mmCIF file of all heavy atoms in Angstrom:
data_model
loop_
_atom_site.group_PDB
_atom_site.id
_atom_site.type_symbol
_atom_site.label_atom_id
_atom_site.label_comp_id
_atom_site.label_asym_id
_atom_site.label_seq_id
_atom_site.Cartn_x
_atom_site.Cartn_y
_atom_site.Cartn_z
ATOM 1 N N GLN A 1312 12.220 10.845 0.404
ATOM 2 C CA GLN A 1312 12.793 9.895 1.351
ATOM 3 C C GLN A 1312 12.045 8.555 1.263
ATOM 4 O O GLN A 1312 10.841 8.492 1.318
ATOM 5 C CB GLN A 1312 12.706 10.435 2.793
ATOM 6 C CG GLN A 1312 13.349 9.534 3.803
ATOM 7 C CD GLN A 1312 13.255 10.166 5.217
ATOM 8 O OE1 GLN A 1312 12.713 11.265 5.356
ATOM 9 N NE2 GLN A 1312 13.761 9.460 6.192
ATOM 10 N N ARG A 1313 12.839 7.462 1.116
ATOM 11 C CA ARG A 1313 12.221 6.149 0.910
ATOM 12 C C ARG A 1313 11.586 5.685 2.232
ATOM 13 O O ARG A 1313 12.161 5.840 3.294
ATOM 14 C CB ARG A 1313 13.213 5.140 0.408
ATOM 15 C CG ARG A 1313 13.787 5.439 -0.956
ATOM 16 C CD ARG A 1313 14.698 4.304 -1.429
ATOM 17 N NE ARG A 1313 13.975 3.050 -1.565
ATOM 18 C CZ ARG A 1313 13.269 2.724 -2.654
ATOM 19 N NH1 ARG A 1313 13.174 3.556 -3.646
ATOM 20 N NH2 ARG A 1313 12.631 1.552 -2.679
ATOM 21 N N PRO A 1314 10.378 5.079 2.119
ATOM 22 C CA PRO A 1314 9.771 4.601 3.355
ATOM 23 C C PRO A 1314 10.469 3.329 3.871
ATOM 24 O O PRO A 1314 11.256 2.698 3.135
ATOM 25 C CB PRO A 1314 8.343 4.220 2.873
ATOM 26 C CG PRO A 1314 8.492 3.950 1.430
ATOM 27 C CD PRO A 1314 9.548 4.867 0.931
ATOM 28 N N THR A 1315 10.194 3.018 5.116
ATOM 29 C CA THR A 1315 10.780 1.821 5.686
ATOM 30 C C THR A 1315 10.237 0.597 4.980
ATOM 31 O O THR A 1315 9.150 0.657 4.345
ATOM 32 C CB THR A 1315 10.457 1.732 7.184
ATOM 33 O OG1 THR A 1315 9.037 1.631 7.327
ATOM 34 C CG2 THR A 1315 10.917 2.979 7.925
ATOM 35 N N PRO A 1316 10.926 -0.562 5.032
ATOM 36 C CA PRO A 1316 10.413 -1.785 4.372
ATOM 37 C C PRO A 1316 8.989 -2.136 4.782
ATOM 38 O O PRO A 1316 8.202 -2.556 3.929
ATOM 39 C CB PRO A 1316 11.438 -2.837 4.817
ATOM 40 C CG PRO A 1316 12.692 -2.080 5.055
ATOM 41 C CD PRO A 1316 12.260 -0.783 5.621
ATOM 42 N N ASP A 1317 8.682 -1.996 6.098
ATOM 43 C CA ASP A 1317 7.314 -2.312 6.519
ATOM 44 C C ASP A 1317 6.303 -1.404 5.899
ATOM 45 O O ASP A 1317 5.220 -1.844 5.447
ATOM 46 C CB ASP A 1317 7.254 -2.263 8.058
ATOM 47 C CG ASP A 1317 8.038 -3.360 8.729
ATOM 48 O OD1 ASP A 1317 8.368 -4.363 8.029
ATOM 49 O OD2 ASP A 1317 8.370 -3.198 9.930
ATOM 50 N N ARG A 1318 6.615 -0.142 5.887
ATOM 51 C CA ARG A 1318 5.668 0.834 5.289
ATOM 52 C C ARG A 1318 5.537 0.625 3.773
ATOM 53 O O ARG A 1318 4.452 0.718 3.192
ATOM 54 C CB ARG A 1318 6.154 2.261 5.591
ATOM 55 C CG ARG A 1318 5.235 3.374 5.056
ATOM 56 C CD ARG A 1318 3.821 3.267 5.551
ATOM 57 N NE ARG A 1318 3.729 3.337 6.960
ATOM 58 C CZ ARG A 1318 3.701 4.439 7.682
ATOM 59 N NH1 ARG A 1318 3.720 5.620 7.079
ATOM 60 N NH2 ARG A 1318 3.588 4.389 9.001
ATOM 61 N N GLN A 1319 6.653 0.268 3.124
ATOM 62 C CA GLN A 1319 6.616 -0.001 1.698
ATOM 63 C C GLN A 1319 5.694 -1.184 1.371
ATOM 64 O O GLN A 1319 4.925 -1.186 0.420
ATOM 65 C CB GLN A 1319 8.002 -0.227 1.169
ATOM 66 C CG GLN A 1319 8.074 -0.393 -0.369
ATOM 67 C CD GLN A 1319 7.647 0.855 -1.114
ATOM 68 O OE1 GLN A 1319 8.289 1.893 -0.977
ATOM 69 N NE2 GLN A 1319 6.610 0.756 -1.910
ATOM 70 N N ALA A 1320 5.780 -2.194 2.224
ATOM 71 C CA ALA A 1320 4.932 -3.419 2.046
ATOM 72 C C ALA A 1320 3.459 -3.049 2.206
ATOM 73 O O ALA A 1320 2.607 -3.549 1.454
ATOM 74 C CB ALA A 1320 5.349 -4.459 3.005
ATOM 75 N N GLU A 1321 3.156 -2.178 3.155
ATOM 76 C CA GLU A 1321 1.757 -1.735 3.354
ATOM 77 C C GLU A 1321 1.250 -0.992 2.120
ATOM 78 O O GLU A 1321 0.101 -1.161 1.714
ATOM 79 C CB GLU A 1321 1.683 -0.843 4.585
ATOM 80 C CG GLU A 1321 1.911 -1.605 5.924
ATOM 81 C CD GLU A 1321 1.817 -0.678 7.109
ATOM 82 O OE1 GLU A 1321 1.467 0.514 6.893
ATOM 83 O OE2 GLU A 1321 2.127 -1.106 8.204
ATOM 84 N N LEU A 1322 2.122 -0.121 1.550
ATOM 85 C CA LEU A 1322 1.726 0.641 0.387
ATOM 86 C C LEU A 1322 1.440 -0.303 -0.789
ATOM 87 O O LEU A 1322 0.486 -0.074 -1.541
ATOM 88 C CB LEU A 1322 2.817 1.645 -0.005
ATOM 89 C CG LEU A 1322 3.006 2.834 0.982
ATOM 90 C CD1 LEU A 1322 4.222 3.650 0.568
ATOM 91 C CD2 LEU A 1322 1.754 3.694 0.961
ATOM 92 N N TRP A 1323 2.277 -1.306 -0.975
ATOM 93 C CA TRP A 1323 2.045 -2.257 -2.099
ATOM 94 C C TRP A 1323 0.743 -3.017 -1.899
ATOM 95 O O TRP A 1323 0.028 -3.322 -2.870
ATOM 96 C CB TRP A 1323 3.189 -3.194 -2.234
ATOM 97 C CG TRP A 1323 4.400 -2.611 -2.899
ATOM 98 C CD1 TRP A 1323 5.661 -2.469 -2.377
ATOM 99 C CD2 TRP A 1323 4.438 -2.049 -4.212
ATOM 100 N NE1 TRP A 1323 6.488 -1.834 -3.271
ATOM 101 C CE2 TRP A 1323 5.803 -1.550 -4.404
ATOM 102 C CE3 TRP A 1323 3.528 -1.853 -5.230
ATOM 103 C CZ2 TRP A 1323 6.167 -0.949 -5.600
ATOM 104 C CZ3 TRP A 1323 3.935 -1.246 -6.389
ATOM 105 C CH2 TRP A 1323 5.230 -0.788 -6.596
ATOM 106 N N ARG A 1324 0.395 -3.329 -0.665
ATOM 107 C CA ARG A 1324 -0.866 -4.030 -0.424
ATOM 108 C C ARG A 1324 -2.053 -3.137 -0.746
ATOM 109 O O ARG A 1324 -3.093 -3.568 -1.275
ATOM 110 C CB ARG A 1324 -0.978 -4.465 1.053
ATOM 111 C CG ARG A 1324 -0.172 -5.761 1.356
ATOM 112 C CD ARG A 1324 -0.612 -6.320 2.689
ATOM 113 N NE ARG A 1324 -0.278 -5.499 3.820
ATOM 114 C CZ ARG A 1324 0.896 -5.533 4.428
ATOM 115 N NH1 ARG A 1324 1.867 -6.386 4.065
ATOM 116 N NH2 ARG A 1324 1.167 -4.732 5.430
ATOM 117 N N LEU A 1325 -1.926 -1.801 -0.478
ATOM 118 C CA LEU A 1325 -2.990 -0.880 -0.859
ATOM 119 C C LEU A 1325 -3.169 -0.807 -2.379
ATOM 120 O O LEU A 1325 -4.277 -0.567 -2.852
ATOM 121 C CB LEU A 1325 -2.661 0.536 -0.306
ATOM 122 C CG LEU A 1325 -2.966 0.803 1.147
ATOM 123 C CD1 LEU A 1325 -2.467 2.170 1.536
ATOM 124 C CD2 LEU A 1325 -4.452 0.739 1.421
ATOM 125 N N ARG A 1326 -2.078 -0.982 -3.080
ATOM 126 C CA ARG A 1326 -2.141 -0.853 -4.574
ATOM 127 C C ARG A 1326 -2.451 -2.166 -5.247
ATOM 128 O O ARG A 1326 -2.287 -2.258 -6.484
ATOM 129 C CB ARG A 1326 -0.801 -0.310 -5.058
ATOM 130 C CG ARG A 1326 -0.518 1.122 -4.567
ATOM 131 C CD ARG A 1326 0.913 1.505 -4.886
ATOM 132 N NE ARG A 1326 1.169 2.886 -4.397
ATOM 133 C CZ ARG A 1326 2.343 3.449 -4.320
ATOM 134 N NH1 ARG A 1326 3.408 2.745 -4.701
ATOM 135 N NH2 ARG A 1326 2.495 4.670 -3.887
ATOM 136 N N ASP A 1327 -2.943 -3.135 -4.558
ATOM 137 C CA ASP A 1327 -3.316 -4.406 -5.133
ATOM 138 C C ASP A 1327 -4.419 -4.191 -6.154
ATOM 139 O O ASP A 1327 -5.508 -3.754 -5.790
ATOM 140 C CB ASP A 1327 -3.824 -5.333 -4.008
ATOM 141 C CG ASP A 1327 -4.098 -6.756 -4.561
ATOM 142 O OD1 ASP A 1327 -4.030 -6.962 -5.743
ATOM 143 O OD2 ASP A 1327 -4.388 -7.646 -3.733
ATOM 144 N N PRO A 1328 -4.192 -4.478 -7.446
ATOM 145 C CA PRO A 1328 -5.204 -4.199 -8.484
ATOM 146 C C PRO A 1328 -6.426 -5.108 -8.377
ATOM 147 O O PRO A 1328 -7.423 -4.845 -9.033
ATOM 148 C CB PRO A 1328 -4.421 -4.451 -9.785
ATOM 149 C CG PRO A 1328 -3.321 -5.403 -9.389
ATOM 150 C CD PRO A 1328 -2.945 -5.057 -8.010
ATOM 151 N N LEU A 1329 -6.364 -6.209 -7.606
ATOM 152 C CA LEU A 1329 -7.458 -7.125 -7.513
ATOM 153 C C LEU A 1329 -8.460 -6.721 -6.418
ATOM 154 O O LEU A 1329 -9.496 -7.362 -6.279
ATOM 155 C CB LEU A 1329 -6.948 -8.529 -7.264
ATOM 156 C CG LEU A 1329 -6.015 -9.087 -8.318
ATOM 157 C CD1 LEU A 1329 -5.563 -10.518 -7.938
ATOM 158 C CD2 LEU A 1329 -6.733 -9.141 -9.665
ATOM 159 N N ARG A 1330 -8.146 -5.666 -5.683
ATOM 160 C CA ARG A 1330 -9.047 -5.239 -4.582
ATOM 161 C C ARG A 1330 -9.580 -3.851 -4.901
ATOM 162 O O ARG A 1330 -8.919 -2.999 -5.499
ATOM 163 C CB ARG A 1330 -8.262 -5.212 -3.263
ATOM 164 C CG ARG A 1330 -7.679 -6.527 -2.838
ATOM 165 C CD ARG A 1330 -7.063 -6.449 -1.473
ATOM 166 N NE ARG A 1330 -8.076 -6.148 -0.460
ATOM 167 C CZ ARG A 1330 -7.763 -5.979 0.842
ATOM 168 N NH1 ARG A 1330 -6.538 -6.101 1.245
ATOM 169 N NH2 ARG A 1330 -8.719 -5.696 1.716
ATOM 170 N N SER A 1331 -10.827 -3.622 -4.512
ATOM 171 C CA SER A 1331 -11.486 -2.320 -4.643
ATOM 172 C C SER A 1331 -11.792 -1.734 -3.239
ATOM 173 O O SER A 1331 -12.548 -2.333 -2.515
ATOM 174 C CB SER A 1331 -12.797 -2.461 -5.448
ATOM 175 O OG SER A 1331 -12.543 -2.889 -6.761
ATOM 176 N N TYR A 1332 -11.168 -0.645 -2.976
ATOM 177 C CA TYR A 1332 -11.342 -0.006 -1.683
ATOM 178 C C TYR A 1332 -12.425 1.084 -1.742
ATOM 179 O O TYR A 1332 -12.530 1.802 -2.731
ATOM 180 C CB TYR A 1332 -10.061 0.624 -1.235
ATOM 181 C CG TYR A 1332 -8.959 -0.376 -0.870
ATOM 182 C CD1 TYR A 1332 -8.027 -0.767 -1.829
ATOM 183 C CD2 TYR A 1332 -8.901 -0.918 0.426
ATOM 184 C CE1 TYR A 1332 -7.030 -1.664 -1.535
ATOM 185 C CE2 TYR A 1332 -7.901 -1.810 0.736
ATOM 186 C CZ TYR A 1332 -6.949 -2.201 -0.242
ATOM 187 O OH TYR A 1332 -5.977 -3.093 0.068
ATOM 188 N N ASN A 1333 -13.235 1.192 -0.689
ATOM 189 C CA ASN A 1333 -14.071 2.348 -0.591
ATOM 190 C C ASN A 1333 -13.231 3.548 -0.174
ATOM 191 O O ASN A 1333 -12.240 3.389 0.556
ATOM 192 C CB ASN A 1333 -15.164 2.124 0.516
ATOM 193 C CG ASN A 1333 -16.124 1.050 0.078
ATOM 194 O OD1 ASN A 1333 -16.525 0.981 -1.089
ATOM 195 N ND2 ASN A 1333 -16.528 0.204 1.048
ATOM 196 N N ILE A 1334 -13.560 4.698 -0.685
ATOM 197 C CA ILE A 1334 -12.765 5.920 -0.449
ATOM 198 C C ILE A 1334 -13.629 6.973 0.207
ATOM 199 O O ILE A 1334 -14.686 7.302 -0.323
ATOM 200 C CB ILE A 1334 -12.175 6.458 -1.769
ATOM 201 C CG1 ILE A 1334 -11.308 5.376 -2.443
ATOM 202 C CG2 ILE A 1334 -11.347 7.705 -1.548
ATOM 203 C CD1 ILE A 1334 -10.949 5.707 -3.864
ATOM 204 N N ILE A 1335 -13.136 7.542 1.296
ATOM 205 C CA ILE A 1335 -13.806 8.655 1.962
ATOM 206 C C ILE A 1335 -12.844 9.833 1.986
ATOM 207 O O ILE A 1335 -11.718 9.749 2.474
ATOM 208 C CB ILE A 1335 -14.267 8.317 3.392
ATOM 209 C CG1 ILE A 1335 -15.250 7.138 3.377
ATOM 210 C CG2 ILE A 1335 -14.880 9.540 4.077
ATOM 211 C CD1 ILE A 1335 -15.678 6.719 4.788
#
């Protein structure tokens, strides 16, 4: 099921290749 447009935008921001996230 496709996410809502707002949720999809949040997912793309998480996948930004220029940012490094700490992972727990």
Side-chain angles (χ1 to χ4, degrees):
Q1312 183 179 359
R1313 296 185 61 83
T1315 63
D1317 292 342
R1318 181 58 58 85
Q1319 184 65 61
E1321 292 179 7
L1322 291 173
W1323 282 120
R1324 280 196 294 272
L1325 279 173
R1326 294 170 181 169
D1327 185 353
L1329 300 179
R1330 299 186 64 182
S1331 295
Y1332 291 93
N1333 294 321
I1334 302 169
I1335 298 178

